[in-house]
Amino acid sequence: YASAEADYADGILECTITLSGSYPLWSEHSPKLLQLEINTGRDMRQLYFGMRRLSADGLKLRINGSETFLRGKHDGLVFPKTGFAPTDIASWIKVFETAKRYGINHYRFHTCCPPDAAFAAADIMGIYMQPELPFWGTIPDEFGEEHKFLREEGFRMLREFGHHPSFVMMSMGNELW
């Protein structure tokens, strides 16, 4: 599927990956994942990711060219039996299997971002994810500490979870004024 050119210096790996035109596209109907293996000689890492095309056509959302209707659910990471959201893929697969039985294909996380295990399970199950920054309301001072934290947090979320094909949208918070 791919070829790569890489430069590894000062503990940072930079690479350009060229994909062939024959890679599978990821969607709720066909959650096909690709595997990237990086071996520096001293360290090896495997990463699963997916390729998809998300676009707007007027008021219609298209994924890989097909019109997509989001049948979504609000989730505030409330798990009363445990007091915390699961952090393992198997538990999230169970959550998403139940949701899919009811026709749900989209999760909006209310002023929060789920753990990596949720994105990994959503990648496997074909669930579209929308995390939000941990904010509700308005930021009065765009140059203040709160604004700085939220911008940095948004970039952290993109850096940590942006390779997941299930990460299709992100909101800067909830009910922004």
Side-chain angles (χ1 to χ4, degrees):
Y1 289 117
S3 63
E5 293 180 24
D7 181 35
Y8 185 69
D10 299 323
I12 297 173
L13 176 68
E14 290 189 25
C15 63
T16 301
I17 300 171
T18 305
L19 294 172
S20 69
S22 62
Y23 54 85
L25 295 176
W26 182 95
S27 74
E28 70 178 288
H29 305 293
S30 181
K32 306 266 185 194
L33 294 173
L34 302 169
Q35 181 181 5
L36 174 65
E37 184 175 293
I38 300 169
N39 189 340
T40 65
R42 289 181 286 170
D43 196 14
M44 188 179 87
R45 176 148 187 227
Q46 292 179 337
L47 175 75
Y48 290 92
F49 68 100
M51 301 296 291
R52 54 140 170 79
R53 292 184 185 95
L54 176 66
S55 61
D57 181 8
L59 297 176
K60 295 178 181 175
L61 176 66
R62 295 196 178 275
I63 296 188
N64 303 328
S66 296
E67 185 177 340
T68 301
F69 182 74
L70 297 179
R71 300 172 310 279
K73 172 188 179 328
H74 158 281
D75 195 304
L77 296 178
V78 176
F79 289 82
K81 287 186 178 181
T82 60
F84 60 92
T87 56
D88 64 288
I89 295 170
S91 294
W92 279 102
I93 285 176
K94 186 176 177 184
V95 168
F96 293 145
E97 282 175 340
T98 301
K100 284 195 95 156
R101 282 197 301 272
Y102 285 92
I104 299 295
N105 70 349
H106 171 254
Y107 267 65
R108 178 182 75 88
F109 290 90
H110 183 281
T111 63
C112 58
C113 182
D116 188 65
F119 287 101
D123 292 347
I124 293 166
M125 298 297 299
I127 298 285
Y128 305 120
M129 305 280 270
Q130 178 187 332
E132 292 182 348
L133 285 176
F135 185 75
W136 191 351
T138 189
I139 304 169
D141 180 5
E142 70 181 63
F143 301 106
E145 286 302 310
E146 189 172 30
H147 183 265
K148 180 181 173 196
F149 166 78
L150 290 169
R151 285 179 57 87
E152 290 172 356
E153 185 70 359
F155 284 116
R156 280 189 290 269
M157 288 165 61
L158 289 170
R159 187 175 54 250
E160 291 298 318
F161 308 119
H163 67 281
H164 289 283
S166 58
F167 191 134
V168 296
M169 292 174 276
M170 181 172 144
S171 172
M172 300 300 106
N174 181 64
E175 296 182 22
L176 302 177
W177 300 338

